[in-house]
Each structure stands twice: as C-alpha cells, then as structure tokens.
Amino acid sequence: MLDLRLIRRDPDAVRSALARRGPQVADSLDRVIALDARWREATQAAEGLRAEQKAASERVAAGKREGRDVGGELDRLKLVSGEVKALGEQARGADGELQELLRTLPNLPDPTAAEPDDEVLRIVGEATRRDGGRDHLELAGERIDMERGARLSGARFAYLRGDLAMLELALVQWALTKLRGHGFEPVIPPVLVREQALYGTGFLPDTEQQIYHLPADDLYLVGTSEVALASIHAGEILDAAQLPLRYAGFSPCFRREAGAAGRDTRGIFRVHQFDKVEMFSFVEPDAGKDEHERLLAIEEEILGELELPYRVVNIAVDDLGASAAKKYDIEAWLPGQGRYRELTSTSNTTDFQARRLEIRARGESGKPEILHTLNGTAVAVGRTLIALLENGQRDDGSIALPAVLAAFGAPAELPAAVT
RNA sequence: GGAGGGGUGGCAGAGCGGUUGAAUGCACUGGUCUUGAAAACCAGAGUCCGUGAAAGCGGAUCGCGGGUUCGAAUCCCGCCCCCUCCGCCA
C-alpha cells in the first residue's frame, strides 16, 4: 500500500515513479487523488456536524437529569442525526472506493531498479559443460520419480527418493544453521493462511491465479513462507531498539502454475509443491537498502559454499511484482539446460507490506513509524537439487556433492543412476 | 463435530443506554520532597484520521463489521479470537 500522505504531498513524484511500471498505473493515481479530495470534504462536513450533535446530546442529558422538558430539542436532534448519517455515508463511500483502488497500486520502484531490461550485475564461478551435460532427471533416475508423482497427484508433482530425500534435509538443516549464525530465528510457519495475509504481502490482488484456495475452509496455501513471516508481527508496534528482526522460515510452498502450461515441464524445475528456506527481515526505514545487500550477500555465500556457478541480476521494473521496490535474482548455471536459471530472489518491499499489515516500530521520537520489510530465498530446495546434480555430475554419471553438506547428513557423493 | 463461558487502555479489573476516552490498582513518564534513593504527594501519559507552520481544534477507537436510538463500552445481528466440558484424532 502506498502512503496516501506522500501522494498528497508530492503527487508528481509518485506519478512519475509509478509511470515506470506503465501508463495505466499512473492513471489510477489521478483517480486516487480525486477520491481523496472527495473523502476529505465529506469527512470534514460529517465531523463538524457530528461535533454539534454531540454537544447538543450532552445538553439533552443534562436537561433530563435536571428534569427539564427536552422534547423540542429531541425533535431537532432527530433531523441532525439524519444529516450526520447521510454525510457519514458519503464519506464512507468515497473512502471505500479510495481504499479499493489504493490496494491495486503497486509499490514505487527504487530509482536503481533496472530498466527496461534485467541487468546482469556479475557472473561468479565458471559455467561448466557449456556444450551440455545430462540434466537432473537423467542424473537422478528414479530418485526423482515423476511418473509415480503424476499418477498420485497429476503433472508437476514428484516423489523425491532415497539419497535425494536425505540431501534435501541436509540442505535445509545446513541453511537454517547458517542463518541462525547470521541472526535469523528459525521458524516453521503455518502454510494455510487467510486471505488477509495474502493481501498484506501484496500477493493479492496480483497473483491470484498462482494461489491454491480451499473453499470449504476459505484458506489459501502459501506459495512462500514470506506470507506467514511477514504477518508474524501484523498489527504490532515493535520497539525500534529490537530491530532488525530476522526470521528464517522453512516450509513447503504451493503454486498452481496456471498460465505456465508447457513451460519447464521436464523434471522438478517448475512443480506445484517444493520446500524452501526463506529469509525475512523487519528493519527501520533507512536500513532497508543495506539489509537488501545483506540478504543478497547471504544468498551468494550459500551458492558459493555449494560451489555453484551463478550470476546476479537486477530485475527490471516490469517484473518486480506488486510489493517489491527492487529485486535481485540469482540465477545458477544449469548445464542440463545450458543456461542460467533463477534459483533465488530477494526483494526490498520497503513500507508496502508493513503498511498493509500495520507493522510499526517506536523509536527515539516516540512516534510509531511504519517499518520496512525484505525477503530473500536462502534455499529453494528443488531447484538447488537440480543445480547440485547438474553441476556436480561426472562423466560416469555419478555426482560429487559439496563438502559442507556432509556434516548435516548428506551423502559425500551420489552414485550414477541405474538405467 | 456437540454444549457452555468470555473478549474493556502496557497488565489486572469496574462499568443502571445519557459529561465514561472510560473508575480503581499495578506498571510507565515528569515534578515536589531527599545528600542520593525509596516511600509519600502532585501532574501526565494510548492509537488512528482530518485541519493547522505550530500550539491547538475536531472526529474515531472498549475484538472486527453492520444495525436500533436524539444518544451505544452498555441493546440486536454477522464474523474473528480465547477458555471449559464431551466426542474424534497425528
């Protein structure tokens, strides 16, 4: 949610920032401004009359106490009451329209968000097997069981079996341990949430066709634990001295992938359910940019220790999503596809989510202030497994695994798939 | 799933439909007193919106949203949450 006061104070700056997301977005802003003016006018009229009504009402109360006849006053007040109601109705109507429209406006992009295209910031590590290697499905064999997964649940579902199941748990345990060392509190959140949590994080209205809905209970399956982590402090006024607050969520993630038909259909690159360790930070407004770089640095540290070649991309304004002001993706080199593909993503959502979720902090000034939130992928398990398999593959089909995982229960290496 | 009870300020806890934004206690912040502290006494504190340069002024807020009424923390309806008992259950 954008700051209405900022819109009033500096509409031109907001308009030109929004214009980077497209002309129709900037047009909505003008309607917001008009509705706001209408609302303020109606509100002021309603509140003025309401003040009179209250004063008169107190006179009636006093009169009754003293045993005076207040019949005439009451008749007059009945008329006032009707007017107050009508004016209040007008104000509420304008406010309703205003809020509805305001909810559809995306966050203001950061001046340094890329435009018009994604910008590759750096390439780290050597992209191996540029001529193509085996892909993760060939390498995994029945350790990734798509056929039986499909028989059970349909397309884009898989069983992870044997060593890969253990490898997944090792990755998760390793990541959570590492993040804890970086000051993140490990959290296992609910994955079924109310609509409010999705509005609060900006996934609604925006990505409705991605989200599983359980109508019998009116609950939604989250596509990322970001939804639950952001809401952990919803409605709270935090002590600024406690900030930053950092959480590492581990959860399954569910995505309908409607509209992605035919895309990335092979293997577990794009599936309906996967596990993910997610970082989430609550920070003071002026600490947001540094925190974003920090999250990116942790993501790079993780990929580095996993010995995966990658590149860092500053995502273009059109691909930011509603809540992000700026977003970095890290794309790992996948020999099986012969290209870099998204493995992690970190967004600075500034005050956009915090305002919707009413998360504030009280600092030196004593005034509660909307804080800033950021999120970033630590380990998207499925895609990380793909990258580990494809980059670790040897000519004989066996797979070398990074040393850091062994201490967390991962096999030292994976034998070639039986064919 | 069935049957009850309840949600009031940071906490505890009052509140016949009419100066109740809300008693009282604790906690908190200033001040007086004191060498200092404690105690005591006095005063002040929430949040949100509008207006204003500011002081201030006005409105909203007793889980949330509607309704009744000249007037609602108090009455009615819907929703959310918490608790107790029974049933079921990893």
Side-chain angles (χ1 to χ4, degrees):
Chain A
M1 183 98 79
L2 296 183
D3 183 358
L4 194 52
R5 272 183 251 187
L6 176 66
I7 293 175
R8 282 182 202 140
R9 196 177 343 119
D10 199 350
D12 292 337
V14 174
R15 188 180 297 108
S16 61
L18 282 181
R20 295 181 69 200
R21 288 186 181 260
Q24 65 294 346
V25 182
D27 289 346
S28 297
L29 185 69
D30 293 324
R31 287 188 49 217
V32 165
I33 292 169
L35 281 167
D36 179 49
R38 222 176 85 197
W39 171 74
R40 277 190 290 174
E41 199 182 330
T43 297
Q44 278 172 46
E47 288 183 354
L49 198 58
R50 173 81 176 128
E52 286 181 38
Q53 184 192 25
K54 279 175 73 169
S57 206
E58 276 172 22
R59 284 198 298 275
V60 168
K64 275 201 165 180
R65 260 195 313 275
E66 293 157 18
R68 280 202 313 267
D69 174 32
V70 292
E73 184 85 354
L74 274 191
D75 289 341
R76 207 175 61 76
L77 270 182
K78 275 182 197 175
L79 296 177
V80 175
S81 173
E83 278 182 72
V84 167
K85 240 169 223 171
L87 285 169
E89 210 58 51
Q90 279 181 35
R92 227 177 310 164
D95 188 49
E97 276 186 66
L98 173 64
Q99 295 303 328
E100 198 180 323
L101 189 59
L102 207 51
R103 284 201 305 192
T104 67
L105 289 179
N107 201 358
L108 304 178
D110 187 278
T112 61
E115 191 180 355
D117 299 312
D118 292 349
E119 173 194 6
V120 176
L121 295 176
R122 56 184 164 276
I123 297 177
V124 178
E126 194 182 340
T128 53
R129 295 180 184 268
R130 295 213 74 113
D131 49 338
R134 279 172 275 204
D135 81 352
H136 68 281
L137 259 195
E138 280 180 85
L139 291 162
E142 288 208 335
R143 288 170 292 194
I144 294 176
D145 195 338
M146 302 300 299
E147 268 180 48
R148 292 190 176 91
R151 191 202 295 161
L152 173 72
S153 305
R156 296 194 195 276
F157 284 96
Y159 286 95
L160 279 189
R161 303 174 61 170
D163 281 342
L164 284 189
M166 299 309 288
L167 182 53
E168 146 140 6
L169 292 181
L171 266 171
V172 169
Q173 184 82 23
W174 171 70
L176 287 176
T177 303
K178 169 184 286 298
L179 289 173
R180 192 165 215 187
H182 280 297
F184 290 76
E185 178 186 337
V187 177
I188 297 176
V191 295
L192 283 168
V193 302
R194 293 219 181 90
E195 191 181 42
Q196 165 56 27
L198 291 161
Y199 270 104
T201 41
F203 288 98
L204 289 176
D206 186 28
T207 63
E208 32 279 287
Q209 62 169 12
Q210 257 318 330
I211 303 172
Y212 285 102
H213 179 213
L214 281 65
D217 298 283
D218 205 15
L219 289 170
Y220 297 80
L221 277 163
V222 298
T224 163
S225 56
E226 172 191 343
V227 174
L229 294 177
S231 295
I232 204 168
H233 292 302
E236 297 180 16
I237 299 177
L238 303 168
D239 178 359
Q242 306 177 301
L243 298 177
L245 285 173
R246 300 186 173 105
Y247 297 95
F250 168 58
S251 83
C253 305
F254 303 91
R255 300 187 182 180
R256 294 185 60 233
E257 299 297 349
R263 218 167 0 123
D264 300 317
T265 50
R266 185 170 163 80
I268 59 168
F269 187 84
R270 188 179 296 281
V271 284
H272 290 307
Q273 176 189 337
F274 60 95
D275 291 326
K276 181 157 64 72
V277 177
E278 178 83 2
M279 302 179 281
F280 198 92
S281 302
F282 298 86
V283 305
E284 294 198 71
D286 55 10
K289 281 181 196 293
D290 284 350
E291 185 70 7
H292 199 199
E293 298 303 321
R294 192 184 144 98
L295 294 182
L296 179 62
I298 292 171
E299 292 181 345
E300 292 198 60
E301 176 188 324
I302 285 171
L303 292 204
E305 289 183 32
L306 293 179
E307 299 165 35
L308 296 172
Y310 64 88
R311 64 181 193 183
V312 179
V313 179
N314 178 11
I315 295 300
V317 168
D318 343 331
D319 291 330
L320 280 181
S323 63
K326 186 174 184 181
K327 173 152 88 173
Y328 297 119
D329 281 5
I330 298 185
E331 301 176 341
W333 173 254
L334 298 185
Q337 296 190 27
R339 55 181 170 146
Y340 287 97
R341 296 305 304 273
E342 177 185 344
L343 219 59
T344 75
S345 180
T346 177
S347 294
N348 183 355
T349 52
T350 62
D351 60 358
F352 188 83
Q353 297 179 332
R355 180 167 293 108
R356 290 183 170 209
L357 292 166
E358 295 180 72
I359 309 170
R360 290 167 291 172
R362 195 193 307 275
E364 297 290 304
S365 73
K367 280 283 148 220
E369 196 179 4
I370 303 279
L371 43 73
H372 282 206
T373 60
L374 303 96
N375 63 79
T377 318
V379 176
V381 175
R383 289 192 180 181
T384 303
L385 290 176
I386 294 174
L388 288 173
L389 291 173
E390 295 189 2
N391 284 289
Q393 66 179 297
R394 303 190 186 101
D395 289 338
D396 66 358
S398 66
I399 293 142
L401 291 175
V404 289
L405 297 178
F408 293 86
E413 61 171 60
L414 299 178
V418 276
T419 45

